[in-house]
Amino acid sequence: MPVMNVWYYLSGYIIISIRGKRRERLINLAINRGIFLRDIRCHKETAFMKVDIEGFKRLRPLARKTRCRIKIKKKVGFPFFIYRLSLQKGLMAGAFFFFFALYIFSSFIWFVEVSGTEKIDPDDVLEISRELGLQPGVFKENLEPEKISRDLAIRIPDISWAGVEILGTRARIQVVEKVKELETQEGITSHIVASRDGLILELLTISGQTEVSPGETVEEGQILIRGIISDDEEEEEEREEMYVRARGNVKARVWYEGYGSSTLLMKKSVPSGKQEEGFFVKGWGRVIYSSGVIDNPYEYYKMDSIKRNVRWRNLGIPVELVSLRFKELIPVKEELTPEEALERAKNEAREDAMNQVSDQADPVKKYYEILDTGDEQVFEVRFVIESIEDIGLEKRFDPDRGA
Amino acid sequence: MESKKKFQRAVADTFELPKEILLDLPRVNLVGNIQLYIENHRGVVEYTDETVRISISGGELVIQGKNLQIKNIFSGEIFIEGTIHRLDYEN
Protein backbone atom coordinates (compact mmCIF):
# COMPACT_ATOMS: atom_id res chain seq x y z
CA MET A 1 0.00 0.00 0.00
CA PRO A 2 1.73 3.14 -1.21
CA VAL A 3 -0.17 5.37 1.21
CA MET A 4 1.09 3.34 4.13
CA ASN A 5 4.60 3.43 2.71
CA VAL A 6 4.50 7.22 2.80
CA TRP A 7 3.41 7.08 6.40
CA TYR A 8 6.16 4.62 7.26
CA TYR A 9 8.71 6.85 5.60
CA LEU A 10 7.53 9.95 7.43
CA SER A 11 7.50 8.30 10.81
CA GLY A 12 10.77 6.46 10.14
CA TYR A 13 11.63 2.84 10.71
CA ILE A 14 14.62 0.63 11.38
CA ILE A 15 15.55 -2.56 9.59
CA ILE A 16 17.02 -4.90 12.16
CA SER A 17 18.41 -8.37 12.13
CA ILE A 18 17.81 -10.80 14.95
CA ARG A 19 20.02 -13.77 15.65
CA GLY A 20 19.34 -16.35 18.29
CA LYS A 21 17.63 -19.61 18.93
CA ARG A 22 14.55 -18.04 20.46
CA ARG A 23 13.63 -15.63 17.75
CA GLU A 24 10.02 -16.83 17.73
CA ARG A 25 9.75 -16.13 21.40
CA LEU A 26 11.01 -12.62 20.84
CA ILE A 27 8.45 -12.05 18.09
CA ASN A 28 5.64 -13.32 20.31
CA LEU A 29 6.72 -11.16 23.19
CA ALA A 30 6.99 -8.16 20.96
CA ILE A 31 3.52 -8.48 19.49
CA ASN A 32 2.03 -9.06 22.91
CA ARG A 33 3.49 -5.75 24.04
CA GLY A 34 2.09 -4.05 21.02
CA ILE A 35 5.35 -3.61 19.16
CA PHE A 36 4.57 -3.43 15.51
CA LEU A 37 6.76 -5.69 13.37
CA ARG A 38 6.62 -5.78 9.60
CA ASP A 39 8.12 -7.71 6.73
CA ILE A 40 9.72 -10.44 8.76
CA ARG A 41 11.88 -12.63 6.58
CA CYS A 42 14.27 -15.34 7.38
CA HIS A 43 17.69 -16.00 6.01
CA LYS A 44 19.39 -18.99 7.53
CA GLU A 45 19.72 -18.26 11.21
CA THR A 46 18.97 -14.59 10.92
CA ALA A 47 15.57 -12.90 10.76
CA PHE A 48 15.20 -9.45 9.28
CA MET A 49 12.33 -7.20 10.08
CA LYS A 50 11.19 -3.63 10.12
CA VAL A 51 10.22 -1.90 13.31
CA ASP A 52 9.30 1.67 14.10
CA ILE A 53 11.53 3.86 16.23
CA GLU A 54 9.44 3.68 19.38
CA GLY A 55 9.07 -0.08 18.99
CA PHE A 56 12.80 -0.55 18.62
CA LYS A 57 13.49 1.07 21.97
CA ARG A 58 11.08 -1.35 23.66
CA LEU A 59 12.47 -4.30 21.75
CA ARG A 60 15.93 -3.94 23.24
CA PRO A 61 15.10 -5.26 26.77
CA LEU A 62 13.10 -8.12 25.28
CA ALA A 63 16.08 -9.18 23.22
CA ARG A 64 18.19 -9.31 26.31
CA LYS A 65 15.57 -11.44 27.97
CA THR A 66 15.40 -13.93 25.09
CA ARG A 67 19.14 -13.76 24.54
CA CYS A 68 18.83 -12.69 20.98
CA ARG A 69 21.23 -10.32 19.31
CA ILE A 70 19.71 -7.33 17.59
CA LYS A 71 21.63 -5.47 14.97
CA ILE A 72 20.56 -2.37 13.16
CA LYS A 73 20.88 -2.85 9.42
CA LYS A 74 19.48 0.35 8.17
CA LYS A 75 17.64 3.40 9.38
CA VAL A 76 15.06 4.59 6.92
CA GLY A 77 12.77 7.58 6.97
CA PHE A 78 12.40 11.27 7.33
CA PRO A 79 13.45 11.59 10.99
CA PHE A 80 16.82 10.00 10.19
CA PHE A 81 17.21 12.18 7.14
CA ILE A 82 16.73 15.27 9.28
CA TYR A 83 19.10 13.93 11.87
CA ARG A 84 21.79 13.30 9.27
CA LEU A 85 21.28 16.77 7.86
CA SER A 86 21.63 18.32 11.23
CA LEU A 87 25.04 16.72 11.52
CA GLN A 88 26.23 18.66 8.51
CA LYS A 89 26.31 22.11 10.04
CA GLY A 90 27.95 23.81 7.09
CA LEU A 91 25.28 22.62 4.75
CA MET A 92 22.53 23.67 7.11
CA ALA A 93 24.06 27.09 7.56
CA GLY A 94 24.38 27.42 3.79
CA ALA A 95 20.78 26.43 3.20
CA PHE A 96 19.60 28.82 5.87
CA PHE A 97 21.69 31.61 4.43
CA PHE A 98 20.34 30.87 0.97
CA PHE A 99 16.73 31.15 2.02
CA PHE A 100 17.44 34.18 4.12
CA ALA A 101 19.19 35.91 1.21
CA LEU A 102 16.37 34.93 -1.12
CA TYR A 103 13.90 36.48 1.26
CA ILE A 104 15.90 39.66 1.71
CA PHE A 105 16.55 40.13 -1.98
CA SER A 106 12.96 39.43 -2.91
CA SER A 107 11.74 42.14 -0.60
CA PHE A 108 13.29 44.85 -2.74
CA ILE A 109 11.99 46.30 -5.98
CA TRP A 110 14.43 45.41 -8.72
CA PHE A 111 12.62 46.46 -11.85
CA VAL A 112 10.14 49.18 -12.63
CA GLU A 113 8.32 48.97 -15.93
CA VAL A 114 5.76 51.20 -17.56
CA SER A 115 3.02 50.01 -19.86
CA GLY A 116 0.16 51.71 -21.63
CA THR A 117 2.00 54.81 -22.75
CA GLU A 118 1.46 55.96 -26.30
CA LYS A 119 2.20 59.64 -26.49
CA ILE A 120 3.86 60.07 -23.12
CA ASP A 121 7.51 59.10 -22.81
CA PRO A 122 7.77 56.13 -20.41
CA ASP A 123 10.91 57.70 -18.99
CA ASP A 124 8.87 60.67 -17.79
CA VAL A 125 6.60 58.33 -15.92
CA LEU A 126 9.63 56.58 -14.42
CA GLU A 127 11.12 59.93 -13.43
CA ILE A 128 7.99 61.02 -11.60
CA SER A 129 7.52 57.65 -9.96
CA ARG A 130 11.09 57.91 -8.73
CA GLU A 131 10.24 61.23 -7.12
CA LEU A 132 7.26 59.55 -5.50
CA GLY A 133 9.55 56.89 -4.07
CA LEU A 134 9.15 54.03 -6.51
CA GLN A 135 12.50 53.05 -8.02
CA PRO A 136 14.74 50.00 -8.22
CA GLY A 137 16.34 49.27 -4.88
CA VAL A 138 13.43 50.42 -2.76
CA PHE A 139 12.24 48.26 0.12
CA LYS A 140 8.92 46.71 -0.80
CA GLU A 141 7.32 46.90 2.61
CA ASN A 142 7.47 50.70 2.70
CA LEU A 143 5.69 51.16 -0.61
CA GLU A 144 2.10 52.24 -0.85
CA PRO A 145 1.00 51.34 -4.39
CA GLU A 146 -2.40 52.99 -4.02
CA LYS A 147 -0.91 56.27 -2.92
CA ILE A 148 1.72 56.24 -5.67
CA SER A 149 -0.81 55.49 -8.37
CA ARG A 150 -3.05 58.25 -7.08
CA ASP A 151 -0.21 60.76 -6.99
CA LEU A 152 1.00 59.68 -10.44
CA ALA A 153 -2.38 60.47 -11.93
CA ILE A 154 -2.26 63.90 -10.29
CA ARG A 155 1.34 64.67 -11.21
CA ILE A 156 1.05 63.72 -14.88
CA PRO A 157 -1.76 65.76 -16.35
CA ASP A 158 -1.96 63.73 -19.56
CA ILE A 159 -2.99 60.50 -17.93
CA SER A 160 -6.43 59.73 -16.68
CA TRP A 161 -5.54 56.69 -14.60
CA ALA A 162 -2.42 55.04 -13.26
CA GLY A 163 -2.08 51.74 -11.47
CA VAL A 164 0.95 50.41 -9.65
CA GLU A 165 1.14 46.68 -9.31
CA ILE A 166 3.90 44.88 -7.48
CA LEU A 167 4.66 41.45 -8.89
CA GLY A 168 7.41 39.89 -6.85
CA THR A 169 10.46 42.09 -7.36
CA ARG A 170 8.87 43.85 -10.32
CA ALA A 171 6.74 46.97 -10.15
CA ARG A 172 4.49 47.55 -13.10
CA ILE A 173 3.04 50.98 -13.69
CA GLN A 174 0.04 50.89 -15.93
CA VAL A 175 -0.99 54.14 -17.44
CA VAL A 176 -4.11 55.13 -19.32
CA GLU A 177 -3.68 58.27 -21.35
CA LYS A 178 -6.37 60.83 -21.71
CA VAL A 179 -8.15 60.73 -25.02
CA LYS A 180 -8.45 64.31 -26.06
CA GLU A 181 -10.83 63.81 -28.96
CA LEU A 182 -13.53 62.60 -26.67
CA GLU A 183 -13.56 65.88 -24.84
CA THR A 184 -13.90 67.98 -27.94
CA GLN A 185 -16.78 65.85 -29.08
CA GLU A 186 -18.76 66.74 -26.05
CA GLY A 187 -21.54 69.14 -26.77
CA ILE A 188 -22.39 67.65 -30.12
CA THR A 189 -25.96 66.61 -30.44
CA SER A 190 -27.14 64.65 -33.40
CA HIS A 191 -29.68 62.24 -34.77
CA ILE A 192 -29.05 59.24 -36.92
CA VAL A 193 -31.16 59.54 -40.03
CA ALA A 194 -31.67 57.24 -42.96
CA SER A 195 -29.40 58.00 -45.88
CA ARG A 196 -31.84 56.29 -48.24
CA ASP A 197 -35.06 54.35 -48.40
CA GLY A 198 -34.87 50.85 -47.08
CA LEU A 199 -36.16 48.08 -44.90
CA ILE A 200 -34.57 47.95 -41.45
CA LEU A 201 -32.93 44.62 -40.71
CA GLU A 202 -30.79 45.24 -37.66
CA LEU A 203 -30.58 48.09 -35.25
CA LEU A 204 -27.92 48.59 -32.63
CA THR A 205 -28.27 51.71 -30.58
CA ILE A 206 -25.26 52.86 -28.63
CA SER A 207 -26.71 56.12 -27.49
CA GLY A 208 -29.94 57.87 -28.19
CA GLN A 209 -33.51 56.82 -28.44
CA THR A 210 -34.44 54.24 -31.04
CA GLU A 211 -37.28 55.41 -33.25
CA VAL A 212 -37.72 52.49 -35.60
CA SER A 213 -37.66 48.76 -35.25
CA PRO A 214 -36.43 45.97 -37.52
CA GLY A 215 -38.90 45.10 -40.23
CA GLU A 216 -40.01 48.70 -40.69
CA THR A 217 -39.55 50.52 -43.95
CA VAL A 218 -37.98 53.92 -43.70
CA GLU A 219 -37.71 56.85 -46.04
CA GLU A 220 -34.66 58.87 -46.79
CA GLY A 221 -34.10 61.46 -44.09
CA GLN A 222 -36.28 59.76 -41.51
CA ILE A 223 -34.88 59.79 -37.97
CA LEU A 224 -33.76 56.32 -36.95
CA ILE A 225 -32.08 57.08 -33.64
CA ARG A 226 -33.13 60.26 -31.94
CA GLY A 227 -30.58 62.32 -30.07
CA ILE A 228 -33.24 63.47 -27.66
CA ILE A 229 -33.98 61.15 -24.83
CA SER A 230 -37.24 61.82 -23.10
CA ASP A 231 -39.02 59.93 -20.44
CA ASP A 232 -42.43 58.91 -21.69
CA GLU A 233 -43.65 57.98 -18.26
CA GLU A 234 -43.74 61.51 -16.97
CA GLU A 235 -46.37 64.14 -17.52
CA GLU A 236 -46.20 66.22 -20.64
CA GLU A 237 -45.36 69.47 -18.85
CA GLU A 238 -42.67 68.04 -16.67
CA ARG A 239 -41.07 65.98 -19.35
CA GLU A 240 -37.35 66.21 -19.08
CA GLU A 241 -35.34 65.93 -22.22
CA MET A 242 -31.74 64.97 -22.59
CA TYR A 243 -29.73 65.83 -25.66
CA VAL A 244 -27.08 63.40 -26.73
CA ARG A 245 -25.06 62.49 -29.73
CA ALA A 246 -26.93 59.59 -31.20
CA ARG A 247 -24.76 56.66 -32.07
CA GLY A 248 -25.67 53.37 -33.52
CA ASN A 249 -25.57 51.00 -36.36
CA VAL A 250 -28.52 50.61 -38.66
CA LYS A 251 -28.42 47.83 -41.20
CA ALA A 252 -31.08 47.91 -43.83
CA ARG A 253 -32.05 46.24 -47.04
CA VAL A 254 -32.01 48.81 -49.81
CA TRP A 255 -32.84 48.65 -53.48
CA TYR A 256 -31.08 50.35 -56.33
CA GLU A 257 -33.07 50.60 -59.53
CA GLY A 258 -31.76 51.32 -62.93
CA TYR A 259 -33.86 51.79 -66.05
CA GLY A 260 -32.99 51.19 -69.62
CA SER A 261 -35.01 51.33 -72.78
CA SER A 262 -34.50 50.51 -76.38
CA THR A 263 -36.53 50.48 -79.55
CA LEU A 264 -36.24 48.20 -82.52
CA LEU A 265 -35.29 51.13 -84.68
CA MET A 266 -32.24 52.90 -83.39
CA LYS A 267 -31.04 56.25 -84.62
CA LYS A 268 -27.33 56.68 -84.58
CA SER A 269 -24.89 59.24 -85.90
CA VAL A 270 -21.69 58.22 -87.61
CA PRO A 271 -18.94 60.66 -88.50
CA SER A 272 -18.55 60.97 -92.26
CA GLY A 273 -14.88 61.95 -92.09
CA LYS A 274 -15.33 65.45 -93.43
CA GLN A 275 -14.42 68.30 -91.21
CA GLU A 276 -13.77 72.01 -91.26
CA GLU A 277 -11.69 74.13 -88.97
CA GLY A 278 -11.89 77.75 -88.02
CA PHE A 279 -10.37 80.29 -85.70
CA PHE A 280 -11.52 83.63 -84.40
CA VAL A 281 -10.61 86.25 -81.87
CA LYS A 282 -13.34 87.71 -79.79
CA GLY A 283 -13.02 90.84 -77.76
CA TRP A 284 -15.37 93.38 -76.25
CA GLY A 285 -18.38 91.49 -77.50
CA ARG A 286 -17.36 91.41 -81.09
CA VAL A 287 -15.46 89.15 -83.40
CA ILE A 288 -12.25 90.97 -84.11
CA TYR A 289 -10.55 88.54 -86.40
CA SER A 290 -11.53 85.28 -88.02
CA SER A 291 -10.03 82.77 -90.39
CA GLY A 292 -11.26 79.47 -91.83
CA VAL A 293 -14.82 78.32 -91.33
CA ILE A 294 -16.49 79.69 -88.28
CA ASP A 295 -20.11 78.93 -89.14
CA ASN A 296 -21.51 75.44 -89.26
CA PRO A 297 -21.49 74.12 -92.80
CA TYR A 298 -23.21 70.75 -92.17
CA GLU A 299 -26.71 69.58 -91.42
CA TYR A 300 -25.60 67.13 -88.75
CA TYR A 301 -22.40 67.95 -87.01
CA LYS A 302 -20.41 67.83 -83.87
CA MET A 303 -18.50 70.90 -82.82
CA ASP A 304 -15.39 71.04 -80.66
CA SER A 305 -14.24 74.43 -79.49
CA ILE A 306 -11.18 75.40 -77.54
CA LYS A 307 -11.22 78.78 -75.83
CA ARG A 308 -8.16 80.54 -74.51
CA ASN A 309 -7.99 83.78 -72.60
CA VAL A 310 -5.15 86.11 -73.37
CA ARG A 311 -3.14 87.09 -70.37
CA TRP A 312 -0.28 89.45 -70.12
CA ARG A 313 1.59 88.98 -66.88
CA ASN A 314 -1.08 89.25 -64.21
CA LEU A 315 -3.40 91.29 -66.31
CA GLY A 316 -6.27 89.59 -67.97
CA ILE A 317 -7.21 91.11 -71.29
CA PRO A 318 -10.85 90.52 -72.18
CA VAL A 319 -9.94 88.88 -75.43
CA GLU A 320 -10.74 85.27 -76.25
CA LEU A 321 -9.00 83.11 -78.77
CA VAL A 322 -11.36 80.41 -80.00
CA SER A 323 -10.55 77.60 -82.36
CA LEU A 324 -13.40 75.57 -83.77
CA ARG A 325 -13.67 72.20 -85.45
CA PHE A 326 -16.81 70.98 -87.14
CA LYS A 327 -17.20 67.29 -87.86
CA GLU A 328 -19.86 66.12 -90.22
CA LEU A 329 -22.14 63.37 -89.00
CA ILE A 330 -24.39 61.11 -91.01
CA PRO A 331 -27.55 59.88 -89.35
CA VAL A 332 -27.92 56.11 -89.65
CA LYS A 333 -30.97 54.12 -88.84
CA GLU A 334 -30.26 50.77 -87.35
CA GLU A 335 -32.75 47.98 -87.17
CA LEU A 336 -32.42 45.68 -84.22
CA THR A 337 -33.88 42.27 -83.58
CA PRO A 338 -36.07 42.12 -80.46
CA GLU A 339 -33.33 40.15 -78.64
CA GLU A 340 -30.71 42.76 -79.46
CA ALA A 341 -33.00 45.55 -78.36
CA LEU A 342 -33.74 43.81 -75.11
CA GLU A 343 -30.06 43.20 -74.46
CA ARG A 344 -29.36 46.82 -75.09
CA ALA A 345 -32.05 47.92 -72.67
CA LYS A 346 -30.74 45.52 -70.06
CA ASN A 347 -27.20 46.84 -70.34
CA GLU A 348 -28.40 50.37 -70.03
CA ALA A 349 -30.47 49.51 -66.98
CA ARG A 350 -27.61 47.67 -65.30
CA GLU A 351 -25.21 50.51 -65.83
CA ASP A 352 -27.72 52.95 -64.47
CA ALA A 353 -28.16 50.87 -61.31
CA MET A 354 -24.48 50.18 -60.85
CA ASN A 355 -23.70 53.87 -60.85
CA GLN A 356 -25.91 54.37 -57.82
CA VAL A 357 -24.51 51.60 -55.65
CA SER A 358 -22.29 52.86 -52.87
CA ASP A 359 -18.96 51.30 -51.98
CA GLN A 360 -19.95 49.79 -48.66
CA ALA A 361 -22.99 48.09 -50.14
CA ASP A 362 -23.15 44.35 -49.94
CA PRO A 363 -25.26 43.21 -52.88
CA VAL A 364 -27.32 40.18 -52.05
CA LYS A 365 -29.58 39.95 -55.05
CA LYS A 366 -29.67 41.26 -58.58
CA TYR A 367 -32.48 40.84 -61.05
CA TYR A 368 -34.01 42.23 -64.23
CA GLU A 369 -37.60 43.12 -64.73
CA ILE A 370 -38.97 43.65 -68.20
CA LEU A 371 -41.60 46.33 -68.12
CA ASP A 372 -44.68 46.22 -70.26
CA THR A 373 -44.69 49.32 -72.42
CA GLY A 374 -47.69 48.39 -74.55
CA ASP A 375 -45.62 48.97 -77.68
CA GLU A 376 -43.89 46.11 -79.37
CA GLN A 377 -41.27 48.42 -80.77
CA VAL A 378 -40.18 49.71 -77.37
CA PHE A 379 -38.47 47.74 -74.65
CA GLU A 380 -38.04 48.95 -71.14
CA VAL A 381 -36.06 47.13 -68.53
CA ARG A 382 -35.60 47.69 -64.84
CA PHE A 383 -32.51 46.34 -63.14
CA VAL A 384 -32.73 45.98 -59.39
CA ILE A 385 -29.80 45.51 -57.04
CA GLU A 386 -30.79 44.50 -53.56
CA SER A 387 -28.14 45.12 -50.96
CA ILE A 388 -27.67 45.26 -47.23
CA GLU A 389 -25.84 48.26 -45.91
CA ASP A 390 -25.53 50.70 -43.07
CA ILE A 391 -27.93 53.51 -43.84
CA GLY A 392 -27.30 55.46 -40.64
CA LEU A 393 -26.19 59.02 -41.27
CA GLU A 394 -25.33 61.44 -38.54
CA LYS A 395 -27.23 64.67 -38.68
CA ARG A 396 -26.48 67.36 -36.15
CA PHE A 397 -29.09 69.52 -34.58
CA ASP A 398 -29.13 72.43 -32.23
CA PRO A 399 -30.79 71.43 -28.96
CA ASP A 400 -31.76 75.03 -28.22
CA ARG A 401 -33.93 75.16 -31.28
CA GLY A 402 -35.29 71.66 -30.86
CA ALA A 403 -35.04 68.87 -33.33
CA MET B 1 -15.00 -30.73 29.08
CA GLU B 2 -15.87 -32.70 26.01
CA SER B 3 -19.57 -32.31 26.70
CA LYS B 4 -19.14 -28.55 27.02
CA LYS B 5 -17.52 -28.35 23.58
CA LYS B 6 -20.33 -30.42 22.12
CA PHE B 7 -22.91 -28.13 23.67
CA GLN B 8 -21.18 -25.05 22.31
CA ARG B 9 -21.05 -26.53 18.83
CA ALA B 10 -24.73 -27.39 19.04
CA VAL B 11 -25.53 -23.82 20.07
CA ALA B 12 -23.44 -22.47 17.22
CA ASP B 13 -25.17 -24.75 14.75
CA THR B 14 -28.63 -23.94 16.02
CA PHE B 15 -28.24 -20.20 16.00
CA GLU B 16 -25.89 -20.11 13.00
CA LEU B 17 -23.32 -18.18 14.95
CA PRO B 18 -19.79 -17.81 13.60
CA LYS B 19 -17.92 -20.78 14.99
CA GLU B 20 -14.53 -19.11 15.21
CA ILE B 21 -15.84 -16.75 17.83
CA LEU B 22 -17.88 -19.15 19.86
CA LEU B 23 -15.46 -22.06 19.69
CA ASP B 24 -12.29 -19.98 19.74
CA LEU B 25 -11.06 -21.41 16.43
CA PRO B 26 -8.65 -19.71 14.08
CA ARG B 27 -10.02 -18.26 10.89
CA VAL B 28 -7.69 -19.07 8.00
CA ASN B 29 -7.86 -17.16 4.77
CA LEU B 30 -5.76 -18.52 1.92
CA VAL B 31 -5.32 -16.61 -1.33
CA GLY B 32 -4.10 -19.09 -3.92
CA ASN B 33 -0.79 -20.27 -2.65
CA ILE B 34 0.77 -16.89 -2.16
CA GLN B 35 -0.98 -15.28 0.79
CA LEU B 36 -2.18 -16.61 4.08
CA TYR B 37 -4.14 -14.66 6.64
CA ILE B 38 -4.82 -16.14 10.07
CA GLU B 39 -7.02 -14.59 12.71
CA ASN B 40 -7.13 -15.71 16.29
CA HIS B 41 -3.69 -17.27 16.55
CA ARG B 42 -1.67 -17.60 19.71
CA GLY B 43 1.82 -16.80 18.60
CA VAL B 44 4.65 -18.02 16.45
CA VAL B 45 6.27 -21.26 17.53
CA GLU B 46 8.81 -21.65 14.80
CA TYR B 47 9.80 -19.43 11.97
CA THR B 48 12.18 -20.08 9.10
CA ASP B 49 11.78 -19.23 5.44
CA GLU B 50 10.50 -22.75 4.75
CA THR B 51 8.40 -23.54 7.78
CA VAL B 52 6.14 -21.42 9.92
CA ARG B 53 4.55 -23.00 12.95
CA ILE B 54 1.73 -21.07 14.47
CA SER B 55 0.10 -21.91 17.73
CA ILE B 56 -3.69 -22.06 17.61
CA SER B 57 -6.29 -23.23 20.09
CA GLY B 58 -6.04 -26.98 20.35
CA GLY B 59 -2.84 -27.41 18.41
CA GLU B 60 -0.55 -25.92 15.80
CA LEU B 61 -0.85 -24.86 12.22
CA VAL B 62 2.20 -25.77 10.15
CA ILE B 63 2.78 -23.89 6.94
CA GLN B 64 5.43 -25.19 4.60
CA GLY B 65 6.65 -23.49 1.48
CA LYS B 66 9.35 -21.31 0.07
CA ASN B 67 10.50 -17.77 0.91
CA LEU B 68 7.90 -17.44 3.60
CA GLN B 69 7.82 -14.06 5.23
CA ILE B 70 5.61 -12.53 7.82
CA LYS B 71 4.31 -9.35 6.31
CA ASN B 72 2.44 -8.16 9.36
CA ILE B 73 1.95 -9.57 12.78
CA PHE B 74 -0.31 -8.39 15.60
CA SER B 75 -1.60 -10.19 18.62
CA GLY B 76 -4.38 -12.33 17.12
CA GLU B 77 -3.57 -11.66 13.48
CA ILE B 78 -0.82 -12.81 11.17
CA PHE B 79 -0.28 -12.23 7.50
CA ILE B 80 2.13 -14.50 5.65
CA GLU B 81 3.40 -14.16 2.11
CA GLY B 82 5.46 -16.51 -0.02
CA THR B 83 4.94 -19.74 -1.93
CA ILE B 84 2.85 -22.06 0.21
CA HIS B 85 3.13 -25.77 -0.43
CA ARG B 86 1.33 -27.40 2.49
CA LEU B 87 -0.90 -26.52 5.37
CA ASP B 88 -1.05 -29.01 8.28
CA TYR B 89 -3.02 -29.10 11.49
CA GLU B 90 -1.23 -30.84 14.33
CA ASN B 91 -2.72 -31.64 17.68
Side-chain angles (χ1 to χ4, degrees), chain A residues 261-272:
Chain A
S261 62
S262 175
T263 53
L264 285 181
L265 207 63
M266 286 294 296
K267 278 183 193 166
K268 254 166 70 176
S269 302
V270 179
S272 67

Side-chain angles (χ1 to χ4, degrees), chain A residues 214-276:
Chain A
E216 236 174 273
T217 48
V218 293
E219 286 173 16
E220 190 178 333
Q222 190 179 338
I223 292 172
L224 304 175
I225 302 168
R226 191 179 288 280
I228 303 167
I229 300 171
S230 53
D231 197 350
D232 289 337
E233 301 285 306
E234 286 181 31
E235 292 292 313
E236 198 69 34
E237 310 94 64
E238 297 171 36
R239 182 181 277 188
E240 222 173 85
E241 287 186 329
M242 249 173 69
Y243 302 102
V244 296
R245 182 181 191 184
R247 282 164 202 257
N249 233 323
V250 185
K251 279 235 165 131
R253 189 180 286 266
V254 296
W255 289 268
Y256 296 97
E257 289 178 347
Y259 292 93
S261 62
S262 175
T263 53
L264 285 181
L265 207 63
M266 286 294 296
K267 278 183 193 166
K268 254 166 70 176
S269 302
V270 179
S272 67
K274 284 190 216 163
Q275 62 175 33
E276 297 284 350

Side-chain angles (χ1 to χ4, degrees), chain A residues 3 44 76 113 166 179 182 323 346 353-354 380-381 390 392:
Chain A
V3 181
K44 288 172 188 164
V76 186
E113 54 187 49
I166 290 170
V179 182
L182 266 182
S323 55
K346 274 183 178 179
M354 283 301 203
E380 249 181 53
V381 171
D390 191 349

Side-chain angles (χ1 to χ4, degrees), chain A residues 131-401:
Chain A
E131 284 169 26
L132 293 171
L134 176 63
Q135 57 172 313
V138 141
F139 201 52
K140 222 158 62 175
E141 299 300 308
N142 300 338
L143 281 180
E144 289 169 88
E146 291 86 9
K147 192 173 176 297
I148 292 170
S149 40
R150 212 167 45 233
D151 289 351
L152 264 179
I154 296 167
R155 290 281 295 271
I156 308 171
D158 285 345
I159 65 174
S160 53
W161 179 84
V164 177
E165 204 181 354
I166 290 170
L167 309 156
T169 58
R170 209 144 36 102
R172 185 190 285 161
I173 303 172
Q174 264 188 315
V175 162
V176 177
E177 290 182 8
K178 272 183 190 160
V179 182
K180 291 205 170 135
E181 287 147 42
L182 266 182
E183 284 162 35
T184 58
Q185 278 179 353
E186 274 172 20
I188 289 177
T189 50
S190 61
H191 300 306
I192 299 277
V193 299
S195 60
R196 44 183 309 124
D197 297 358
L199 174 71
I200 304 288
L201 292 179
E202 278 172 36
L203 199 74
L204 176 74
T205 309
I206 297 162
S207 68
Q209 191 160 315
T210 313
E211 290 290 304
V212 290
S213 53
E216 236 174 273
T217 48
V218 293
E219 286 173 16
E220 190 178 333
Q222 190 179 338
I223 292 172
L224 304 175
I225 302 168
R226 191 179 288 280
I228 303 167
I229 300 171
S230 53
D231 197 350
D232 289 337
E233 301 285 306
E234 286 181 31
E235 292 292 313
E236 198 69 34
E237 310 94 64
E238 297 171 36
R239 182 181 277 188
E240 222 173 85
E241 287 186 329
M242 249 173 69
Y243 302 102
V244 296
R245 182 181 191 184
R247 282 164 202 257
N249 233 323
V250 185
K251 279 235 165 131
R253 189 180 286 266
V254 296
W255 289 268
Y256 296 97
E257 289 178 347
Y259 292 93
S261 62
S262 175
T263 53
L264 285 181
L265 207 63
M266 286 294 296
K267 278 183 193 166
K268 254 166 70 176
S269 302
V270 179
S272 67
K274 284 190 216 163
Q275 62 175 33
E276 297 284 350
E277 280 176 31
F279 175 77
F280 63 90
V281 180
K282 204 172 147 190
W284 298 282
R286 287 185 296 147
V287 174
I288 299 166
Y289 168 81
S290 68
S291 77
V293 181
I294 59 165
D295 287 321
N296 173 34
Y298 308 117
E299 192 184 350
Y300 298 99
Y301 69 101
K302 191 181 165 211
M303 186 184 81
D304 297 324
S305 68
I306 301 159
K307 282 183 190 172
R308 264 172 299 174
N309 285 321
V310 179
R311 298 184 75 87
W312 183 73
R313 297 221 172 164
N314 272 344
L315 283 169
I317 300 166
V319 169
E320 272 184 334
L321 305 179
V322 183
S323 55
L324 297 170
R325 179 181 288 164
F326 300 96
K327 285 182 184 169
E328 192 189 17
L329 299 175
I330 304 165
V332 177
K333 280 181 184 172
E334 200 182 351
E335 290 231 14
L336 296 170
T337 61
E339 288 78 32
E340 276 174 339
L342 192 62
E343 193 58 39
R344 203 186 176 86
K346 274 183 178 179
N347 284 341
E348 204 180 309
R350 189 171 61 226
E351 241 169 69
D352 186 20
M354 283 301 203
N355 286 338
Q356 298 172 41
V357 177
S358 63
D359 300 336
Q360 58 140 331
D362 173 25
V364 287
K365 217 168 158 192
K366 294 171 182 176
Y367 56 91
Y368 292 101
E369 249 174 47
I370 298 165
L371 303 174
D372 188 15
T373 53
D375 186 351
E376 277 178 28
Q377 299 278 307
V378 183
F379 292 93
E380 249 181 53
V381 171
R382 183 164 64 176
F383 184 66
V384 181
I385 298 175
E386 213 175 292
S387 103
I388 292 169
E389 58 188 81
D390 191 349
I391 60 163
L393 187 74
E394 189 170 2
K395 189 183 159 200
R396 294 190 186 178
F397 68 95
D398 192 351
D400 300 330
R401 275 185 279 149

Side-chain angles (χ1 to χ4, degrees), chain A residues 23-24 27-28 31-32 36-42 47, chain B residues 43-49 69-75:
Chain A
R23 299 196 299 267
E24 294 83 0
I27 292 168
N28 286 335
I31 59 172
N32 283 336
F36 181 47
L37 303 172
R38 293 185 297 126
D39 286 352
I40 306 168
R41 67 187 75 194
C42 216
Chain B
V44 184
V45 180
E46 187 196 339
Y47 173 60
T48 64
D49 59 345
Q69 49 173 290
I70 301 169
K71 264 287 172 201
N72 277 323
I73 182 162
F74 309 100
S75 61

